[in-house]
Amino acid sequence: MESKVTPVYATGFFFVRETGLVEEIVVFEYYDPGEEYREITSDRRKTEEEKSRLARNMQLFLDSEDVRINNKPVYPRVLDVEIGFRGDYKYPYITFIIVFIGELRKGLNVYEDYYEPEVAEYDYRVYWFFPTKARVIKADLDVPYTLLDKGRVLLFAVPKGSRVRGYERIEFEIAY
């Protein structure tokens, strides 16, 4: 019987630095009844080939987006990919480490991301961490969001089956 690796959940963490560097960690969790990833990770060459394939695919997806900070394009790049398991070989996860840099300024800053509209295939949750002297003013994410730590941390969740319109905007203020 042929296995079907199925995505079940994702979590994204964005860390915005005062320098304008944004470090992104995205973790995709899967159900793998045939333990395909167990077989792949048991061989070093297969593991490296799969990590390269995953990095290329993610980079193609990132390249199709129009990501901007303060209306200037920024270019997310995949730095690394990790494959692991959540306690059982039927539950692999894939972690992407992604970075991009934009020019931040004192006062109002705007992050925007334009991408293909879609229907969410799985639940996911996203966390944004801004510098200690920053506060989110408002966000347009097409889903409810929560602000923590006096507006420095933004989080939102997208349920499976939600129509995602393909646009995100976060306005944040930095006081130096």
Side-chain angles (χ1 to χ4, degrees):
M1 185 170 164
E2 197 172 305
S3 174
K4 174 98 171 92
V5 179
T6 308
V8 294
Y9 196 80
T11 312
F13 301 92
F14 292 73
F15 301 92
V16 181
R17 309 299 182 197
E18 288 181 1
T19 61
L21 175 68
V22 179
E23 297 165 302
E24 178 181 349
I25 299 167
V26 182
V27 182
F28 293 94
E29 298 180 35
Y30 296 89
Y31 176 59
D32 181 8
E35 299 184 1
E36 291 178 31
Y37 273 98
R38 178 182 190 174
E39 181 183 331
I40 289 168
T41 58
S42 68
D43 179 290
R44 187 176 187 84
R45 183 186 56 76
K46 286 181 183 178
T47 300
E48 291 308 311
E49 287 174 359
E50 181 67 1
K51 286 173 61 174
S52 292
R53 184 187 71 78
L54 291 166
R56 278 191 313 275
N57 287 346
M58 176 58 82
Q59 191 62 59
L60 285 170
F61 176 77
L62 294 171
D63 290 346
S64 74
E65 296 184 4
D66 178 8
V67 183
R68 296 173 173 269
I69 294 179
N70 295 324
N71 208 31
K72 292 183 181 174
V74 295
Y75 304 98
R77 295 287 170 244
V78 176
L79 289 186
D80 197 22
V81 178
E82 176 188 329
I83 301 170
F85 300 92
R86 296 255 184 261
D88 186 306
Y89 289 117
K90 288 184 180 1
Y91 300 98
Y93 65 85
I94 298 170
T95 302
F96 293 90
I97 300 172
I98 299 164
V99 298
F100 56 94
I101 191 161
E103 290 182 34
L104 299 182
R105 56 186 173 229
K106 182 178 179 178
L108 185 66
N109 291 270
V110 178
Y111 162 86
E112 292 178 287
D113 188 2
Y114 300 86
Y115 51 93
E116 273 300 309
E118 63 184 359
V119 174
E121 294 180 43
Y122 43 83
D123 294 338
Y124 63 91
R125 193 165 184 88
V126 178
Y127 299 82
W128 281 82
F129 298 87
F130 290 88
T132 54
K133 295 182 180 184
R135 301 290 172 260
V136 172
I137 304 302
K138 67 180 176 177
D140 181 1
L141 305 165
D142 210 28
V143 293
Y145 63 90
T146 302
L147 296 176
L148 305 172
D149 194 21
K150 300 177 184 171
R152 192 182 72 79
V153 178
L154 176 146
L155 59 103
F156 65 94
V158 177
K160 178 180 178 175
S162 298
R163 183 165 297 291
V164 180
R165 70 173 174 202
Y167 176 71
E168 297 175 7
R169 178 183 175 99
I170 302 171
E171 296 179 22
F172 58 102
E173 189 173 64
I174 297 180
Y176 286 107

